[in-house]
Amino acid sequence: MELSYSHTNSQRILRQRNILAVAAAALGALTLLLFTVSLSREREVVLQPVLRSPLTISSAGVSREYLEMITRDTVVLTLDRSPQNLEYWMNAVLDIASPRTQGKIKADLLKIVSEQRGSSISQFFTIQKMEIDTKNLRSEVTGELHTIVGDKVISNENRTFRYDWEYSGLSLKLVGFGMVKTGAAKDQQGSDQ
């Protein structure tokens, strides 16, 4: 009798162990499946409307509207400067720069800051045309670069500037910008204007 009771009890414990193992395996498989789905699924963040319409950011890539808006704001940030806002200007540009290119961009910006500090030279840019390439994450902006010394405008020149971007996760970062030279000369890279 004790042998049959012991055998029945062992079978019951064995059955519970097997059910627990199957449940643990099923939960593990479900967790793995949910993790895989969450990694492969496109993520999307809805931003508040800035101008014309609500804007979304997706892990699938950068939308044309988003890249255009970011480029427009970055052009104003990078090309409008005066001796009074040089520190803010440099720090703001570095805030939007990719961590892997911040060192090079900072070196280029420090050259501009040291040249312009103590002077009365200011500049601003008026956008006339923008070309957006979402595939290569590149923007080209054409417009007039106005240079002012004191209170006199000394030059208004048509210029084109190129901005290169990287998109990682849901973050768009600046990797380089510079003036595009016309004619046979190659593009000027970095942040020299």
Side-chain angles (χ1 to χ4, degrees):
M1 174 109 177
E2 268 185 44
L3 187 61
S4 94
Y5 175 74
S6 177
H7 179 68
T8 306
N9 196 23
S10 296
Q11 290 299 321
R12 184 177 51 88
I13 291 172
L14 187 60
R15 205 172 324 141
Q16 286 175 349
R17 185 199 69 184
N18 290 344
I19 289 172
L20 183 61
V22 168
L27 287 175
L30 181 63
T31 302
L32 185 61
L33 177 68
L34 290 174
F35 183 71
T36 304
V37 167
S38 70
L39 284 180
S40 64
R41 189 169 168 212
E42 293 181 3
R43 295 175 290 171
E44 190 170 278
V45 175
V46 178
L47 302 176
Q48 293 297 319
V50 178
L51 286 180
R52 336 179 251 277
S53 63
L55 193 59
T56 61
I57 300 174
S58 169
S59 61
V62 178
S63 71
R64 178 174 178 74
E65 294 80 17
Y66 181 63
L67 186 57
E68 183 177 334
M69 290 176 134
I70 293 296
T71 299
R72 182 200 61 218
D73 293 345
T74 303
V75 165
V76 171
L77 174 67
T78 57
L79 298 179
D80 292 2
R81 65 174 183 263
S82 69
Q84 292 80 19
N85 76 343
L86 289 175
E87 291 301 319
Y88 171 81
W89 170 78
M90 182 175 71
N91 291 331
V93 172
L94 290 174
D95 284 345
I96 63 170
S98 169
R100 70 180 176 89
T101 61
Q102 273 188 346
K104 181 187 181 324
I105 290 175
K106 185 172 184 174
D108 292 338
L109 295 178
L110 283 171
K111 288 178 197 172
I112 294 169
V113 167
S114 66
E115 289 172 3
Q116 198 171 355
R117 185 169 299 182
S119 72
S120 59
I121 300 172
S122 299
Q123 75 175 35
F124 68 95
F125 188 77
T126 53
I127 300 172
Q128 296 170 344
K129 179 177 85 168
M130 189 180 305
E131 295 176 21
I132 303 295
D133 181 359
T134 56
K135 184 178 178 186
N136 296 315
L137 293 177
R138 177 170 284 168
S139 317
E140 286 196 4
V141 182
T142 302
E144 280 193 15
L145 181 64
H146 306 271
T147 305
I148 302 168
V149 175
D151 59 354
K152 289 188 176 187
V153 177
I154 62 165
S155 73
N156 293 332
E157 300 172 328
N158 279 332
R159 300 289 174 147
T160 299
F161 292 89
R162 182 172 69 201
Y163 293 82
D164 293 309
W165 306 91
E166 77 176 4
Y167 192 60
S168 177
L170 294 175
S171 179
L172 185 66
K173 293 291 189 177
L174 184 66
V175 292
F177 68 99
M179 185 171 55
V180 176
K181 292 186 177 183
T182 57
K186 291 187 175 183
D187 294 349
Q188 179 179 347
Q189 293 291 41
S191 59
D192 298 330
Q193 285 96 21

